[in-house]
């Protein structure tokens, strides 16, 4: 296993993966490729909602953490792909 630098460790705490891995995942995602980055962000937010909805099972710390990371991923997509397009 490779040694992570401080920035990569921070990324993993915030997103669950590094920024480089996230960029790769985003750019391979079908929603991103055939719709828009904003739709991908909306999809990530919907996934986060489902993670904290008791209808889909017991909400525990692990699911709450995943939901937080998915919301951070959605924000990252908005800032990296949507906001830069309008600037």
């Amino acid at each position: 296993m490779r040694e992570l630098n401080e920035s990569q460790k921070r990324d993993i705490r915030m997103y669950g993966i590094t920024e480089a891995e996230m960029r790769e995942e985003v750019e391979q995602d079908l929603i991103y490729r055939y719709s828009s980055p904003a739709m991908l962000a909306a999809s990530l937010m919907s996934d986060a909602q489902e993670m904290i909805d008791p209808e889909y099972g017991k909400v525990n710390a692990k699911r709450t953490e995943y939901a937080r990371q998915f919301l951070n991923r959605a924000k990252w997509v908005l800032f990296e792909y949507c906001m830069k397009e309008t600037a």
Side-chain angles (χ1 to χ4, degrees):
M1 187 171 169
R2 72 185 202 303
E3 188 70 27
L4 300 174
N5 64 38
E6 289 305 311
S7 178
Q8 291 168 321
K9 289 176 186 177
R10 181 185 66 84
D11 290 346
I12 290 172
R13 285 191 304 273
M14 287 180 15
Y15 310 117
I17 57 178
T18 67
E19 186 174 324
E21 292 168 327
M22 192 160 37
R23 189 173 303 279
E24 183 178 328
E25 281 189 13
V26 165
E27 293 177 3
Q28 291 178 1
D29 191 280
L30 292 177
I31 296 171
Y32 170 80
R33 291 170 61 187
Y34 296 108
S35 186
S36 70
M39 286 302 296
L40 175 58
S43 175
L44 288 166
M45 288 185 272
S46 291
D47 291 346
Q49 284 179 305
E50 288 182 7
M51 288 176 196
I52 57 174
D53 187 340
E55 183 178 321
Y56 295 100
K58 184 178 180 216
V59 179
N60 56 28
K62 187 175 185 177
R63 284 180 57 183
T64 303
E65 177 62 11
Y66 286 152
R68 185 188 68 78
Q69 289 174 344
F70 271 57
L71 289 171
N72 283 338
R73 289 181 190 192
K75 291 187 291 186
W76 184 85
V77 168
L78 291 172
F79 292 131
E80 287 295 311
Y81 291 90
C82 298
M83 299 299 287
K84 288 184 178 180
E85 288 178 1
T86 61

